Amino acid sequence: EPEVTQTPSHQVTQMGQEVILRCVPISNHLYFYWYRQILGQKVEFLVSFYNNEISEKSEIFDDQFSVERPDGSNFTLKIRSTKLEDSAMYFCAIRGRENDEQYFGPGTRLTVT
Amino acid sequence: QQPVQSPQAVILREGEDAVINCSSSKALYSVHWYRQKHGEAPVFLMILLKGGEQKGHDKISASFNEKKQQSSLYLTASQLSYSGTYFCGTLRGGTYKYIFGTGTRLKVLA
């Protein structure tokens, strides 16, 4: 099973601040996904990223969000100006090598105060 | 539109069986099942690729009816470790958008 790590595990930030969440796959992958899960609710697709480009994004993924693969291994999600409603778990996932199943990192809990 | 799961929640005693259903209003080409324990990330359980295909994993198995756009997850002789929230998931046809179902909370009591 592919492994993915995420940092930080918990981020507390003030409203209006920028945050960067990081995802590091253990081995080389081309497909990356970011998801958001508000406490107790469904897992929501944010964006998919293939070969260093965004391949699909949801209506949630507005201009305050961006994704990058700055050094060919780390994969980041940036939220430019955080709002209270951005408080959630953010999961990075990679796609299985043969099919579309998702392998998740442990997540980053973002708390916006 | 995300797949709808039923029931929303179920409580079982150890050893009892449960069925979780996942229905989509759009065509399903493959279905994946996940389990998420409280405070953890979802974990992939199994994939159903073909219509009518049934797969098994210990005492957890699943079926996929492509025509009905439905999949079901079967948990037999449930154990305490089965507790968690179960999600079906699928890649929207023709897109790179991955969609999860509404989720089913399962609690197994001793």
Side-chain angles (χ1 to χ4, degrees):
Chain A
E1 181 181 309
E3 289 186 3
V4 182
T5 61
Q6 288 185 245
T7 58
S9 56
H10 190 191
Q11 173 90 45
V12 181
T13 190
Q14 289 190 327
M15 198 167 54
Q17 296 296 304
E18 176 183 283
V19 293
I20 296 176
L21 312 182
R22 290 185 171 79
C23 170
V24 183
I26 299 300
S27 53
N28 288 332
H29 286 272
L30 294 176
Y31 290 92
F32 294 88
Y33 297 77
W34 281 101
Y35 295 91
R36 180 180 79 177
Q37 187 177 35
I38 295 169
L39 186 63
Q41 297 187 24
K42 60 188 178 185
V43 180
E44 297 177 292
F45 169 84
L46 288 176
V47 65
S48 58
F49 193 80
Y50 169 67
N51 206 22
N52 298 324
E53 288 185 357
I54 289 176
S55 49
E56 195 90 30
K57 56 184 180 180
S58 73
E59 53 279 1
I60 301 170
F61 195 87
D62 60 22
D63 291 344
Q64 70 161 342
F65 290 93
S66 62
V67 289
E68 277 187 345
R69 199 171 184 192
D71 57 9
S73 58
N74 290 333
F75 181 48
T76 62
L77 174 70
K78 184 190 292 185
I79 309 175
R80 267 183 266 285
S81 178
T82 50
K83 306 172 199 167
L84 293 176
E85 53 265 36
D86 292 328
S87 295
M89 282 292 288
Y90 288 81
F91 293 106
C92 167
I94 53 177
R95 200 191 88 153
R97 290 200 184 279
E98 293 184 9
N99 297 295
D100 304 317
E101 73 274 20
Q102 306 283 290
Y103 295 97
F104 285 80
T108 293
R109 179 175 299 284
L110 177 66
T111 303
V112 183
T113 61
Chain B
Q1 299 88 332
Q2 64 183 143
V4 176
Q5 291 181 230
S6 61
Q8 287 185 314
V10 59
I11 298 175
L12 301 172
R13 292 274 176 199
E14 260 187 306
E16 292 181 338
D17 301 341
V19 180
I20 298 171
N21 300 303
C22 171
S23 294
S24 174
S25 59
K26 298 195 176 188
L28 290 172
Y29 301 101
S30 67
V31 178
H32 312 119
W33 284 96
Y34 301 83
R35 177 170 59 211
Q36 183 180 30
K37 292 191 177 282
H38 183 69
E40 299 180 7
V43 173
F44 170 70
L45 293 177
M46 66 181 74
I47 180 172
L48 287 303
L49 284 173
K50 298 176 189 176
E53 183 171 2
Q54 202 152 350
K55 297 198 82 171
H57 181 67
D58 273 346
K59 293 175 184 172
I60 300 176
S61 61
S63 63
F64 178 26
N65 188 322
E66 209 174 302
K67 285 182 183 176
K68 290 186 178 179
Q69 297 170 182
Q70 290 178 347
S71 178
S72 296
L73 186 72
Y74 306 95
L75 300 101
T76 57
S78 58
Q79 306 165 15
L80 293 174
S81 61
Y82 287 3
S83 292
T85 301
Y86 289 79
F87 293 98
C88 60
T90 188
L91 195 70
R92 270 287 167 248
T95 77
Y96 291 99
K97 187 174 185 179
Y98 195 91
I99 303 294
F100 283 89
T102 50
T104 296
R105 285 191 303 278
L106 180 84
K107 188 168 180 64
V108 181
L109 303 175

